[in-house]
Amino acid sequence: MVIERIDEQLPGAILDRHAFRGDQTIVVDRAALLGVVDFIYREGFQQLMDVTAVDGGQRDPRFDVVYHFLNLTSQERLRLKVRVADQESVPSLTGRFKSADWAEREVADLFGIPFDGHPDPRRLIMWEDYPGHPLRKDYPLDGGDAFCSQDIGASYAPDARSLNG
Amino acid sequence: MAELNVETPRTSDADRMIVNMGPSHPVTHGTLHIVLELEGEVIVKATPQIGYLHRGVEKLGENLTYQQFIPLTDRLNYCSSLMNNVGYTLAVEKLLGIQDPPRSRVLRVLCSELARIGDHLVCIGINAVDIGAFTAFLYLFKERETIYDLFEMMAGQRLHSSFTRIGGLFRDIPPEFVPLCEQFLESCPRAVDEMERLLTHNPIWADRTKGVGAIAPENAINWGYTGPCLRAAGVAQDLRVAQPYLDYETYDFDVPVGTTGDVYDRYLVRTEEMRQSLRIVRQCLDKLKEIGPGPVIVDDYKIALPPKEKVYTRMESLIHHFKLIMHGIDMPVGEVYSATEAANGELGFYLVSDGTKAPYRIHVRPPCFPIFSSFDEQVKGRLIADAVSILGAMNIIAGELDR
Amino acid sequence: MAAINLDDSVMTTRLDAVVNWARKNSLWPLPFGTACCAIEFMSMMASRYDFSRFGAEALRFSPRQSDMLLVLGTITNKQAPILRQVYAQMAEPKWVVSVGVCASSGGMYRTYATLQGIDRVVPVDVYVPGCPPRPESIIFGAMQLQKKIEKETLMARREHIEQFYASMDRQEKLQLERGLTNYQVVREMVLAAGENGEQKIW
Ligand code: SF4
């Protein structure tokens, strides 16, 4: 199993591990991330499927950055997590995986987690001067739009109707 | 006469020209924005901008129950919505650790494959329209309408079917379904043949697609390509074979593989996949006959709603119904990533559950997101006309790209 | 010289009626397709439903050449300024058909990212409900628009459109003053309209 080999090669890099319904998860030290990724890349996990994050709310450290890797030869999957606090940055994987480019930009945009060494750290989904990071737990679902919680009354676009008369 | 006051944007290089494709442009289908830097007619740099269809689905999912999220999955890839339903319910079932009944499994395969055919029909048809061949589109859409009819029979809606439920399906197929499906199995190969006669050996089509957007397999893997685009590059990776779900290992079908990864190969792979999907549909119909009538949803009223007759007549069932609607399903605490082979590639759902009725985090891994991120590399040094055909062959669906 | 029978060759009517008759029978649609509803629109154009039966099959993707804006699909806050611009660029007179619940009211997406109804940023003439509406419904919507054009007065239409241009000027002024992107300006205008109960910014 690749996890044991990581432990052998890079002792102390894996902080925690668990398996649920056959999904292997390891939690990796932030400083050791690039080393671990390099190692599993050489072990055959050559496709970075997805990068996302989970906001832990009150938990400390607040965020989990979650990577999903696939080994095309053995068809194994591996989930790798890095814990970061608010405003803490994560090393970017763009040097190794081109697919990390947009995925990290998306996480940076929607969660406000900066990625160190990203070649193009613009926002991806929302526009440049959009206030806040919508996928954080403390961001309201309606984005502060009073209209969302209002009753849609008769005042709704009256002119469009009166033209018909 | 008033003086004309026109400012021309200038870059350091005087010959460079900036051209905006989109956000409202016919080939970008309304929601993509690509800034092209041109030198003469050659593209030097392409900067795609996305997010024009970001509807906040993932955030919305955190505020809905697991069951309520199903209609939102329809609207991710709206060309093959049934496949998204299947992918999502499989993810929730993995989280719950349950399996749906055999009849439902066959039906799920059946509707996934029909949806795959529908998706490829649209992709090829629209790609051809963008390049300038309108005829194939009309031939293909006739078949797609039949698929719509089949879906409508199944689920009651043409496009957004929301056919699956956690633990099974919304209902069984009506008796008229099988004859129409048989008819479709006869007519669809003819339409595919017609399309091939119109396109495969058409010199204009070949000129516009051969060698355009070629990509090396290692590069494609590094970019996170999956699905037909990866297979066209020569990597025989199909989750239906590699990591079978829904008993795909019991079906007999081949995985077509291309060689160069260019637009022409992607077209050929998609065409052959339609034929293979038709084979699977055929086997599904046989299997359905073999299995005979039976339940299509699990018999656990803590997960699936009891039938309406029981709710109206029995106290027990009424309580179950109420509990399920009001309190949702009792979910275990944990996280799963479940991937299925959708028409565009690997469609993954990452669910984090904290044991409440709503998911703590729901994340969709859309197949076309990584594929589209390679757009700049694909079009560099090519003409704008090539960018159009590459864009079409990537099959970008903005709904799942931006979510 | 033969006597001219005026009754045979002259017809009296109102200017409104004549102009509207011409307008309603030569609609040039601009499909502003953003999401799933555009797929149903494709079905409508394709073999089975065949929109060319109604004489409006000449799609124009340039706003300058069209007068019926079909908004097909979700309009997000990021798309809103673009929709406004496309509408502003269209040739007058112009009409808007909002197809699908997303365009009409935000539909199932009550979130930070989706505009809750395009009538908050542009005037709408016909709403077509459904998610997605069937091709028949979209065709019916276009026919309803023809009926509406028949009845309206030229002045009312002109005032209607001018009201919109005034809001474009307001947007531009605000943008220059505050130095924001057009997305953020429209978003803030929409939020303010929601606060003061007016709901629309045009
Ligand atoms: S109304 Fe429904 S079908 Fe139309 S764009 Fe919105 S979600 Fe899609």
Side-chain angles (χ1 to χ4, degrees):
Chain A
M1 207 34 228
V2 66
I3 301 179
E4 277 82 51
R5 283 201 295 279
I6 301 175
D7 237 357
E8 269 168 35
Q9 296 286 323
L10 305 158
I14 299 180
L15 302 178
D16 191 9
R17 59 177 287 190
H18 58 265
F20 179 72
R21 308 266 187 240
D23 285 12
Q24 299 288 339
T25 309
I26 52 175
V27 182
V28 172
D29 188 23
R30 188 159 58 102
L33 175 69
L34 286 181
V36 172
V37 168
D38 245 16
F39 180 74
I40 62 172
Y41 184 83
R42 276 182 272 120
E43 289 281 315
F45 287 88
Q46 303 204 330
Q47 204 160 22
L48 173 63
M49 272 301 167
D50 190 28
V51 183
T52 183
V54 181
D55 181 0
Q58 302 304 319
R59 207 192 61 190
D60 187 50
R62 182 169 173 182
F63 296 105
D64 278 344
V65 180
V66 186
Y67 302 88
H68 286 99
F69 291 95
L70 172 66
N71 185 336
L72 280 173
T73 326
S74 66
Q75 297 297 333
E76 271 176 292
R77 284 179 192 276
L78 182 67
R79 182 183 306 130
L80 204 146
K81 280 188 179 181
V82 179
R83 301 233 152 103
V84 282
D86 210 349
Q87 300 308 325
E88 250 179 359
S89 65
V90 188
S92 166
L93 300 191
T94 38
R96 192 44 107 185
F97 295 99
K98 291 178 186 165
S99 55
D101 183 351
W102 277 25
E104 285 177 355
R105 269 175 75 187
E106 185 193 304
V107 173
D109 180 353
L110 299 179
F111 285 93
I113 302 172
F115 283 85
D116 264 349
H118 194 285
D120 183 16
R122 282 175 304 138
R123 294 188 89 143
L124 182 68
I125 304 273
M126 308 309 283
W127 52 90
E128 278 307 324
D129 50 358
Y130 186 83
H133 303 286
L135 279 186
R136 290 187 172 204
K137 285 282 175 191
D138 51 12
Y139 193 91
L141 173 65
D142 56 18
D145 190 348
F147 181 79
C148 275
S149 44
Q150 258 172 26
D151 206 20
I152 303 168
S155 66
Y156 206 57
D159 314 48
R161 286 198 199 117
S162 63
L163 265 182
N164 214 345
Chain B
M1 250 180 86
E3 215 178 331
L4 272 182
N5 190 9
V6 184
E7 255 182 62
T8 25
R10 279 189 191 282
T11 52
S12 54
D13 193 340
D15 290 340
R16 288 231 173 149
M17 187 168 59
I18 311 268
V19 170
N20 266 312
M21 238 164 111
S24 171
H25 186 275
V27 300
T28 64
H29 305 291
T31 32
L32 306 172
H33 183 190
I34 301 163
V35 183
L36 297 170
E37 268 177 45
L38 303 174
E39 231 161 56
E41 243 191 300
V42 179
I43 300 171
V44 190
K45 188 166 186 281
T47 321
Q49 289 177 2
I50 66 168
Y52 289 98
L53 198 55
H54 177 65
R55 307 189 265 205
V57 171
E58 290 178 3
K59 183 94 178 171
L60 200 53
E62 292 170 11
N63 293 276
L64 298 173
T65 64
Y66 287 89
Q67 198 77 265
Q68 283 172 329
F69 191 70
I70 294 174
L72 292 172
T73 61
D74 278 332
R75 289 148 180 87
L76 291 172
N77 181 345
Y78 31 72
C79 287
S80 52
S81 32
L82 261 165
M83 229 180 305
N84 300 314
N85 295 162
V86 172
Y88 172 69
T89 32
L90 280 174
V92 180
E93 282 161 15
K94 183 172 173 188
L95 184 61
L96 276 168
I98 58 166
Q99 236 195 11
D100 52 333
R103 192 174 165 83
S104 140
R105 298 174 79 73
V106 178
L107 282 173
R108 281 184 182 184
V109 172
L110 173 67
C111 55
S112 300
E113 295 308 319
L114 284 175
R116 190 186 311 278
I117 298 169
D119 191 285
H120 288 347
L121 287 175
V122 175
C123 174
I124 297 173
I126 299 298
N127 199 353
V129 170
D130 288 346
I131 292 181
F134 195 71
T135 325
F137 171 76
L138 293 174
Y139 279 94
L140 294 178
F141 250 73
K142 211 175 113 246
E143 291 313 308
R144 191 165 157 86
E145 284 293 339
T146 318
I147 296 179
Y148 277 149
D149 284 349
L150 289 169
F151 285 174
E152 200 174 2
M153 256 182 204
M154 271 181 172
Q157 241 269 29
R158 283 159 53 87
L159 199 59
H160 292 327
S161 36
S162 302
F163 187 45
T164 58
R165 294 289 180 272
I166 294 161
L169 297 173
F170 159 51
R171 65 180 182 202
D172 207 338
I173 47 171
E176 312 87 59
F177 181 88
V178 177
L180 185 61
C181 196
E182 300 264 2
Q183 212 180 315
F184 172 71
L185 284 179
E186 299 235 316
S187 68
C188 189
R190 279 207 300 275
V192 176
D193 287 344
E194 263 165 2
M195 175 200 81
E196 283 227 74
R197 272 205 294 281
L198 283 167
L199 295 179
T200 307
H201 299 297
N202 181 338
I204 306 175
W205 173 257
D207 280 352
R208 293 290 305 270
T209 56
K210 271 192 186 157
V212 176
I215 188 164
E218 312 81 49
N219 207 7
I221 290 173
N222 203 291
W223 271 114
Y225 272 43
T226 45
C229 291
L230 181 64
R231 288 193 283 274
V235 184
Q237 163 76 353
D238 188 327
L239 290 181
R240 291 175 295 171
V241 178
Q243 305 174 5
Y245 54 96
L246 289 177
D247 308 328
Y248 261 114
E249 65 273 22
T250 60
Y251 295 87
D252 185 23
F253 64 99
D254 302 319
V255 177
V257 176
T259 48
T260 60
D262 59 4
V263 177
Y264 189 72
D265 272 14
R266 292 178 199 176
Y267 153 74
L268 288 182
V269 165
R270 287 206 168 92
T271 313
E272 188 51 36
E273 261 179 34
M274 287 200 276
R275 295 229 166 81
Q276 297 300 330
S277 290
L278 286 169
R279 267 175 79 191
I280 301 177
V281 172
R282 171 86 269 155
Q283 292 167 44
C284 284
L285 291 183
D286 294 345
K287 272 201 182 183
L288 279 182
K289 229 182 269 159
E290 216 174 275
I291 292 175
V296 291
I297 192 155
V298 285
D299 199 19
D300 182 349
Y301 297 153
K302 295 230 169 356
I303 291 169
L305 288 176
K308 267 282 156 7
E309 311 86 68
K310 279 199 185 167
V311 176
Y312 288 144
T313 50
R314 301 219 187 120
M315 195 60 208
E316 275 279 281
S317 301
L318 184 64
I319 293 171
H320 279 306
H321 186 101
F322 180 78
K323 286 278 285 180
L324 203 55
I325 299 283
M326 297 307 289
H327 301 147
I329 305 171
D330 274 336
M331 280 288 169
V333 180
E335 51 186 340
V336 291
Y337 177 83
S338 153
T340 51
E341 182 73 30
N344 271 350
E346 171 171 328
L347 174 72
F349 285 94
Y350 174 55
L351 301 175
V352 181
S353 156
D354 59 350
T356 53
K357 65 175 181 176
Y360 186 75
R361 169 96 171 96
I362 208 164
H363 174 69
V364 188
R365 187 253 179 224
C368 64
F369 183 80
I371 296 179
F372 188 45
S373 66
S374 72
F375 187 73
D376 178 38
E377 195 183 285
Q378 290 257 293
V379 300
K380 223 176 241 171
R382 308 208 69 99
L383 306 178
I384 299 189
D386 294 339
V388 170
S389 60
I390 290 172
L391 196 62
M394 282 179 170
N395 196 11
I396 311 296
I397 309 286
E400 67 174 11
L401 181 72
D402 298 343
R403 285 150 289 149
Chain C
M1 223 169 90
I4 298 168
N5 187 354
L6 278 182
D7 273 0
D8 287 345
S9 51
V10 176
M11 194 177 87
T12 57
T13 177
R14 287 175 301 124
L15 179 66
D16 282 357
V18 176
V19 173
N20 282 338
W21 171 80
R23 283 178 174 180
K24 97 170 208 248
N25 287 313
S26 66
L27 287 172
W28 293 68
L30 163 70
F32 192 80
T34 57
C36 356
C37 283
I39 305 288
E40 277 303 65
F41 176 75
M42 266 181 223
S43 298
M44 179 175 120
M45 300 307 297
S47 344
R48 186 182 295 182
Y49 292 96
D50 194 10
F51 197 45
S52 25
R53 291 176 298 158
F54 296 85
E57 90 275 26
L59 297 184
R60 282 292 172 270
F61 288 96
S62 160
R64 301 277 186 219
Q65 303 169 350
S66 48
D67 52 14
M68 174 166 76
L69 179 64
L70 286 165
V71 182
L72 307 144
T74 322
I75 300 297
T76 57
N77 289 322
K78 198 169 177 179
Q79 193 88 0
I82 296 150
L83 176 68
R84 274 167 72 80
Q85 186 149 15
V86 166
Y87 179 74
Q89 285 172 342
M90 276 167 67
E92 281 167 53
K94 45 197 172 192
W95 297 273
V96 180
V97 180
S98 147
V99 178
V101 290
C102 275
S104 306
S105 70
M108 61 206 304
Y109 300 102
R110 285 221 139 189
T111 62
Y112 58 93
T114 310
L115 184 68
Q116 303 297 312
I118 58 165
D119 44 11
R120 301 183 81 187
V121 298
V122 294
V124 177
D125 294 287
V126 175
Y127 300 85
V128 180
C131 181
R134 296 183 61 96
E136 291 97 324
S137 320
I138 310 180
I139 294 175
F140 181 68
M143 286 160 67
Q144 288 299 92
L145 180 66
Q146 291 187 325
K147 267 194 203 152
K148 179 172 179 175
I149 296 172
E150 210 170 60
K151 276 193 230 146
E152 74 190 5
T153 64
L154 300 183
M155 279 308 284
R157 172 55 55 184
R158 165 131 30 100
E159 275 162 22
H160 196 61
I161 294 170
E162 262 158 20
Q163 199 181 343
F164 174 79
Y165 287 147
S167 85
M168 277 309 263
D169 292 343
R170 269 206 311 281
Q171 180 191 331
E172 224 161 85
K173 212 172 115 220
L174 211 61
Q175 203 172 332
L176 282 177
E177 265 171 26
R178 312 261 317 268
L180 299 169
T181 55
N182 52 351
Y183 309 112
Q184 188 62 21
V185 166
V186 172
R187 172 78 175 146
E188 277 177 15
M189 285 169 82
V190 167
L191 285 183
E195 292 284 339
N196 66 21
E198 212 182 51
Q199 315 298 19
K200 61 185 178 61
I201 63 173
W202 47 274

